[in-house]
Amino acid sequence: MSKISEVVKRARAAFKSGRTRPLQYRLPQVEAARLRYRLQQLEALRRMIQEREADFVGALAADLHKNEWTAYYEEMVYVLEEIDYMIQKLPEWAADEPVEKTPRTQHDESYIHSEPLGVVLIMGTWNYPFNLTIQPMVGAIAAGNAVVLKPSELSENMASLLATVIPQYMDKDMYPVINGGVPETTELLKERFDHIFYTGSTGVGKIVMTAAAKHLTPVTLELGGKSPCYVDKDCDLDVACRRIAWGKFMNSGQTCVAPDYILCDPSIQNQIVEKLKKSLKEFYGDDAKKSRDYGRIISPRHFQRVMGLIEGQKVVHGGTGDAASRYIAPTILVDVDPQTQVMQEEIFGPVLPIVCVRSLDEAIQFIGQREKPLALYVFSNNDKVIKKMIAETSSGGVTANDVIVHITVHSLPFGGVGHSGMGSYHGKKSFETFSHRRSCLVRSLQNEDLNKARYPPSPAKVRGGERPGALAGQGKPVASGLTVPPCPSSQMTRH
Amino acid sequence: MDPVEDTLRRLREAFNSGRTRPAEFRAAQLKSLGHFLQDNKQLLQDALAQDGGLRVGEGRWATQLDAAFIRKEPLGLVLIIAPWNYPLNLMLVPLVGALSAGNCVVLKPSEISKSTEKVLAEVLPRYLDPSCFAVVLGGPQETGQLLEHKFDYIFFTGSPRVGKIVMAAAAKHLTPVTLELGGKNPCYVDDDCDPQIVANRVAFFRYFNTGQTCVAPDYVLCSPEMQERLLPALQSAITRFFGDDPQSSPNLGRIISQKQFQRLQGLLGCGRVAVGGQSDESDRYIAPTVLVDVRETEPVMQEEIFGPILPIVNVRGLDEAVDFINRREKPLALYAFSNSNQVVTQVLARTSSGAFCGNDGFMHMTLTSLPFGGVGASGMGRYHGKFSFDTFSHHRACLLRCAGMEKVNDLRYPPYTDMKVQLLSWSLSQSCSLL
């Protein structure tokens, strides 16, 4: 048996030990024990982040040129908030949820009982390698699962750090870390899991779902796409451009919910360019390469890819890069032809194309012709414009008059639709994603008299007085007059 | 030339035109669906009777259109594939969910329940807007071809084996799915209970629809002592329900097809017949049967029975029962009978299944407040009531900000000077969200 198989097997054995789930039930001290283990593991995770912050920042700096600020405020703080929120809410979320009863079940107990799924696989990615690997893990732990973590090999420093540090703080068997490239990932995907959570590209998303189908494993796929950013003529362009520049160029454009491209009327294109330039200067100075706050491209391959997107385009800002340091200057393109490559794939780099459209309707049509994106942005002072844009498009999520921030709200689910993904997480949604919500009805063996009406034989109303057997070779008419399950709600109409 | 291609394109265009968005349109479609059921009650009853002696139930459909920060939007084009055992219910209940969520729908009824298939293909389209709705017919090959097309959601009810095929096809287009599958639903009977009451309840739900129900109790787990008491009680219940000659009872249906009949007839050879055991090929009749002395390796304990046969497996106590259950795939439903609430809740706590009912059969299905779905090999996703609406919707997170308050945003922008870091730390400690 391969090493990967062994690790997964051990995780399953750890889960089956029951320490995330008690063997008894409905006894207060046992309920507390069930949650205690999970809470302890979450607290250990929190301690790990706090005590080893410097190590995490170091890994992020090495992988993506992040600094203490960007590492903490763009990645780590959200995970800490998620842990705190989860710890606070877990007793409430893990409790049985009573549901409305029917007249016939008034004396019964009926509720939804949340249970762990079993062994969950979380495949992280490289652009926010800490956040996108650990934040889902928080939900999986809270829901009582064993978790196999597979960090992205592209962010190699973080991958290596996680493999070292997690076993130092958390249950080694229950939460193993497996590293490796495509061959190891392929092997891992042959194993059977109870849920697979994947963040990454649409292409690999299909591979993950296909592998999951072999075992009927449900999946959450957080993918990507080209998140459009419509800028209306009627808006405060200074503010809009500032916000757009912030969201676009953070982490050197390597953000799944970054505004990918701008749609605007040609009459404001130049103004937009000027204001974007102004904000970029404010943020990163005259030469972004010298700014501590400006990131780097993750790998030579992605560097080449993004530089390639600039070729042949009308560059009004930036356009240069340095392969040795994997630096690409903040770049703005104008009058972009929608047929060109930069408009065919998710850019995932610091290149901002502007495509001109002559109306809101044209913008909506443009967006509708493409795959559903992970995020959609619209800037306008006019509520009607915002409403129409939202109503006539689809996307994972929306922020109006800003970018990115909808994903920082606990109570909003974060996920895609269509090619940008399926399923969602964050906050309570995470807990639900990694749980099985089991419908329960608990009746008693008393009151058997009440059941008399449901049992056959029913007052026979055989159609047309036909004798049974008249439809030889086919079915028989069943006497009507008795409403029975499983037609839902049929019992609500008779009792 | 792909006729399905044209149909799907037509539906997509209709969807993109926005026709299904307004609440009035959806309400009208649902009302019309209600009329379909009322106007054609007899026709449907006959069709269901011909397909296997079933009955039409009444439905009540939830339409909830929420407006919130989470916007529930239609997905687009939905495919619903229904099985043959409750061919109307398992087609229409998902259809109600899909329509109320504002989608265009393609229905693929089972070709095995031919009479119902005919009604759905010929009569139902008269009631629904043809630009937004279509019925596609065919067997496994046609279904395979249908699955090559892109849908925005696929809702499938059927076997785990075909569920895998559906999910693999869906993966090619990144189409999310709900799979309502099956399994062997265990029924644990504790020593501490009244055998006649248990027998009544188990027999009723086992033999309902001639056993062809995904949530029927599939097999009983009990001690040898309890078995001794259960057997005569089961015989008594069967006689009470179906008379001395069940084959002539109007309350017992028939097996859907020759193929299924032969499969079930084969299972009668497992273990030892304690009650029933008769069969009649010309009538596709299988008697309500109880088997004992079955071994785990025999076919009757290897596949979902889906017929009027109830094997009893002996276990010595709760621990052995729980181990037995947990060694196997997670079932769609799980039943535990005991006077002791402790025992019932222990079974619940130590196992997993789509749903659970203590001290009865699938009564839980009558509550639309409870989601209906499987876990593991018994399925993924859920529906019924509000859960249907949610299943067929995209929950889009929306945040509407104003252009003002830009000063507050200042702290999030580079350059990140020490001063800024300090200010930010302070403001975060005040629990205000800057981002």
Side-chain angles (χ1 to χ4, degrees):
Chain A
M1 188 189 303
S2 79
K3 183 167 179 301
I4 287 176
S5 282
E6 269 172 46
V7 168
V8 176
K9 196 164 179 228
R10 239 192 339 266
R12 195 164 278 292
F15 175 74
K16 287 206 152 138
S17 76
R19 47 191 183 275
T20 67
R21 214 188 156 194
L23 301 186
Q24 292 276 6
Y25 185 52
R26 291 271 166 108
L27 299 173
Q29 68 272 27
V30 173
E31 285 296 285
R34 159 170 80 127
L35 296 189
R36 191 154 50 231
Y37 172 86
R38 304 183 201 179
L39 293 169
Q40 275 166 358
Q41 293 299 309
L42 288 173
E43 278 157 9
L45 188 61
R46 180 169 55 191
R47 226 174 30 246
M48 177 189 87
I49 298 171
Q50 286 162 342
E51 286 174 11
R52 310 298 284 263
E53 188 184 328
D55 292 328
F56 285 115
V57 171
L60 290 167
D63 285 327
L64 289 151
H65 199 254
K66 298 197 190 201
N67 60 32
E68 308 84 38
W69 200 105
T70 53
Y72 192 76
Y73 291 107
E74 284 168 14
E75 282 214 56
M76 298 171 71
V77 72
Y78 297 114
V79 180
L80 288 169
E81 279 174 6
E82 182 92 332
I83 293 174
D84 287 342
Y85 190 52
M86 205 65 77
I87 288 177
Q88 186 202 345
K89 291 291 195 181
L90 189 53
E92 184 192 316
W93 294 344
D96 289 336
E97 186 191 322
V99 299
E100 201 185 314
K101 296 190 269 204
T102 60
R104 260 224 155 132
T105 51
Q106 281 306 308
H107 301 293
D108 305 326
E109 285 182 74
S110 91
Y111 51 89
I112 299 174
H113 174 67
S114 287
E115 325 180 319
L117 291 163
V119 181
V120 168
L121 170 63
I122 294 178
M123 300 171 71
T125 186
W126 54 261
N127 58 333
Y128 293 87
F130 178 79
N131 180 296
L132 296 175
T133 313
I134 304 298
Q135 188 154 354
M137 190 189 188
V138 172
I141 293 173
N145 300 288
V147 184
V148 174
L149 216 58
K150 167 64 187 71
S152 167
E153 69 279 16
L154 277 168
S155 42
E156 51 189 12
N157 293 282
M158 181 58 72
S160 167
L161 179 61
L162 287 172
T164 308
V165 148
I166 285 182
Q168 290 171 357
Y169 286 79
M170 305 184 64
D171 187 327
K172 274 193 264 291
D173 292 323
M174 194 75 82
Y175 311 113
V177 180
I178 296 184
N179 275 322
V182 171
E184 287 80 6
T185 308
T186 307
E187 206 188 315
L188 188 56
L189 283 171
K190 292 198 181 114
E191 298 287 325
R192 183 177 183 182
F193 294 97
D194 300 294
H195 193 97
I196 297 178
F197 184 100
Y198 168 76
T199 305
S201 72
T202 300
V204 178
K206 291 181 184 178
I207 294 172
V208 171
M209 189 172 173
T210 303
K214 295 199 169 72
H215 294 293
L216 286 170
T217 298
V219 300
T220 299
L221 304 176
E222 298 272 328
L223 310 176
K226 293 182 75 62
S227 300
C229 184
Y230 175 71
V231 182
D232 192 33
K233 277 189 279 193
D234 174 16
C235 80
D236 183 335
L237 281 181
D238 283 299
V239 170
C241 292
R242 202 148 179 248
R243 295 180 179 184
I244 292 169
W246 167 74
K248 173 73 192 188
F249 296 100
M250 135 186 339
N251 200 23
S252 212
Q254 297 162 119
T255 306
C256 52
V257 287
D260 186 277
Y261 64 97
I262 288 178
L263 287 167
C264 70
D265 190 275
S267 64
I268 54 171
Q269 189 179 218
N270 288 339
Q271 282 181 74
I272 288 176
V273 170
E274 288 317 305
K275 291 175 196 295
L276 285 170
K277 285 187 188 182
K278 179 162 164 276
S279 289
L280 284 170
K281 184 167 174 179
E282 222 181 276
F283 296 163
Y284 306 117
D286 285 312
D287 180 5
K289 193 162 184 217
K290 300 203 176 89
S291 164
R292 283 192 70 236
D293 302 317
Y294 190 73
R296 294 293 180 269
I297 305 303
I298 186 68
S299 70
R301 181 173 78 82
H302 278 285
F303 173 87
Q304 296 301 339
R305 181 186 65 77
V306 177
M307 288 305 290
L309 298 178
I310 302 174
E311 273 166 40
Q313 296 292 343
K314 191 163 167 202
V315 178
V316 293
H317 190 75
T320 56
D322 168 43
S325 59
R326 300 195 306 275
Y327 160 82
I328 298 182
T331 299
I332 304 172
L333 311 173
V334 293
D335 297 332
V336 177
D337 174 358
Q339 303 302 321
T340 53
Q341 191 58 29
V342 75
M343 287 305 294
Q344 300 307 312
E345 61 183 72
E346 185 173 357
I347 294 167
F348 231 68
V351 175
L352 180 54
I354 304 180
V355 174
C356 291
V357 287
R358 274 161 215 289
S359 66
L360 177 59
D361 279 317
E362 199 185 317
I364 289 172
Q365 209 186 18
F366 188 92
I367 293 168
Q369 280 161 357
R370 296 171 153 66
E371 294 297 342
K372 296 174 187 176
L374 187 53
L376 188 146
Y377 303 112
V378 47
F379 285 83
S380 179
N381 286 330
N382 185 341
D383 267 349
K384 288 207 180 79
V385 167
I386 294 176
K387 281 199 164 67
K388 187 170 152 88
M389 174 58 85
I390 294 177
E392 295 181 20
T393 59
S394 188
S395 63
V398 176
T399 298
N401 290 323
D402 205 343
V403 297
I404 298 183
V405 291
H406 62 283
I407 75 170
T408 66
V409 179
H410 276 311
S411 49
L412 287 178
F414 172 46
V417 65
H419 276 209
S420 55
M422 58 182 77
S424 57
Y425 71 122
H426 280 187
K428 188 172 188 202
K429 203 76 191 71
S430 278
F431 181 81
E432 288 171 4
T433 288
F434 294 112
S435 298
H436 170 50
R437 302 186 70 220
R438 189 180 189 190
S439 294
C440 298
L441 179 65
V442 181
R443 316 199 80 197
S444 98
L445 287 172
Q446 310 308 314
N447 300 316
E448 181 62 355
D449 285 350
L450 293 177
N451 281 339
K452 262 208 203 111
R454 75 183 185 188
Y455 297 136
S458 51
K461 276 191 226 162
V462 178
R463 181 172 61 91
E466 277 173 340
R467 299 286 303 131
L471 301 169
Q474 294 178 313
K476 284 192 178 344
V478 171
S480 59
L482 182 68
T483 316
V484 291
C487 307
S489 74
S490 62
Q491 289 286 23
M492 285 193 246
T493 57
R494 265 180 78 98
H495 53 108
Chain B
M1 232 327 207
D2 183 359
V4 166
E5 187 81 52
D6 288 335
T7 304
L8 297 186
R9 189 186 19 249
R10 177 169 51 83
L11 260 50
R12 258 198 204 293
E13 275 163 17
F15 179 78
N16 289 337
S17 77
R19 184 164 316 142
T20 62
R21 299 266 180 166
E24 298 78 34
F25 175 86
R26 305 183 203 182
Q29 292 291 285
L30 292 174
K31 254 206 190 107
S32 206
L33 191 55
H35 290 146
F36 163 72
L37 287 175
Q38 276 160 7
D39 293 352
N40 297 282
K41 207 166 184 173
Q42 194 59 60
L43 183 63
L44 288 166
Q45 280 193 334
D46 291 348
L48 290 171
Q50 282 172 6
D51 283 333
L54 305 170
R55 141 163 298 218
V56 180
E58 281 164 355
R60 211 162 67 183
W61 303 292
T63 303
Q64 290 196 38
L65 299 169
D66 296 336
F69 260 140
I70 297 174
R71 229 181 94 91
K72 298 192 185 183
E73 313 181 330
L75 290 161
L77 189 52
V78 169
L79 171 63
I80 299 175
I81 302 176
W84 52 259
N85 60 332
Y86 293 90
L88 195 62
N89 179 298
L90 296 176
M91 178 63 88
L92 295 187
V93 175
L95 174 60
V96 165
L99 283 178
S100 60
N103 299 288
C104 289
V105 188
V106 174
L107 300 186
K108 165 62 190 77
S110 169
E111 70 282 11
I112 296 174
S113 41
K114 286 201 177 342
S115 305
T116 308
E117 184 198 35
K118 193 158 187 279
V119 174
L120 288 173
E122 291 172 10
V123 181
L124 180 57
R126 296 183 214 149
Y127 289 78
L128 297 176
D129 186 330
S131 66
C132 301
F133 164 83
V135 180
V136 174
L137 305 180
Q141 200 187 18
E142 288 79 10
T143 309
Q145 282 163 2
L146 183 59
L147 285 169
E148 280 167 20
H149 295 275
K150 179 179 179 173
F151 294 93
D152 300 296
Y153 204 89
I154 298 177
F155 185 99
F156 170 79
T157 306
S159 72
R161 185 188 67 86
V162 180
K164 289 180 183 179
I165 296 171
V166 172
M167 188 172 172
K172 295 198 169 75
H173 295 290
L174 286 171
T175 300
V177 300
T178 289
L179 306 175
E180 297 274 332
L181 309 176
K184 292 182 76 59
N185 304 321
C187 187
Y188 174 69
V189 181
D190 191 37
D191 284 347
D192 174 16
C193 61
D194 179 331
Q196 191 57 62
I197 294 177
V198 173
N200 291 347
R201 299 181 184 193
V202 172
F204 175 66
F205 288 99
R206 163 77 283 187
Y207 303 114
F208 185 84
N209 197 29
T210 329
Q212 297 161 125
T213 306
C214 53
V215 285
D218 186 277
Y219 65 97
V220 165
L221 287 166
C222 69
S223 69
E225 295 74 37
M226 182 36 97
Q227 180 179 295
E228 283 308 300
R229 299 159 71 200
L230 259 184
L231 285 175
L234 283 166
Q235 173 70 79
S236 171
I238 289 169
T239 306
R240 171 183 167 180
F241 297 163
F242 308 116
D244 289 312
D245 176 23
Q247 192 168 9
S248 57
S249 164
N251 293 121
L252 186 66
R254 294 296 180 264
I255 305 306
I256 185 70
S257 70
Q258 213 49 37
K259 180 173 165 205
Q260 290 296 326
F261 171 84
Q262 268 150 12
R263 180 183 66 80
L264 288 165
Q265 196 180 42
L267 298 184
L268 291 170
C270 299
R272 176 171 64 82
V273 173
V275 178
Q278 299 89 355
S279 61
D280 179 350
E281 185 151 2
S282 66
D283 199 16
R284 295 201 310 278
Y285 164 78
I286 301 234
T289 298
V290 180
L291 301 175
V292 295
D293 301 337
V294 296
R295 286 191 309 278
E296 224 182 312
T297 47
E298 291 184 272
V300 78
M301 285 309 294
Q302 293 297 312
E303 59 186 71
E304 184 173 356
I305 293 167
F306 228 68
I309 298 170
L310 181 67
I312 301 182
V313 174
N314 291 142
V315 287
R316 273 156 226 290
L318 181 56
D319 286 346
E320 203 183 312
V322 165
D323 281 341
F324 187 95
I325 292 169
N326 287 340
R327 274 206 305 274
R328 309 165 82 88
E329 294 296 343
K330 294 175 188 176
L332 191 51
L334 202 150
Y335 303 106
F337 288 82
S338 179
N339 284 325
S340 156
N341 195 256
Q342 257 260 48
V343 168
V344 170
T345 51
Q346 265 207 67
V347 175
L348 170 57
R350 295 165 64 182
T351 59
S352 189
S353 61
F356 176 88
C357 187
N359 291 324
D360 211 350
F362 47 84
M363 271 301 282
H364 58 280
M365 300 283 287
T366 64
L367 280 75
T368 50
S369 53
L370 284 176
F372 173 50
V375 65
S378 57
M380 58 182 76
R382 72 254 193 98
Y383 72 124
H384 283 183
K386 180 173 190 291
F387 304 102
S388 284
F389 183 85
D390 285 344
T391 287
F392 291 109
S393 304
H394 168 49
H395 297 208
R396 190 179 188 191
C398 297
L399 183 64
L400 309 186
R401 305 202 89 192
C402 63
M405 305 275 284
E406 185 60 359
K407 275 277 159 265
V408 177
N409 274 349
D410 260 355
L411 282 175
R412 78 183 190 191
Y413 299 126
Y416 304 123
T417 58
D418 286 340
M419 165 74 114
K420 205 171 244 191
V421 172
Q422 274 172 33
L423 266 174
L424 190 52
S425 297
W426 171 83
S427 68
L428 278 176
S429 74
Q430 302 301 304
S431 311
C432 62
S433 173
L434 285 176
L435 297 163

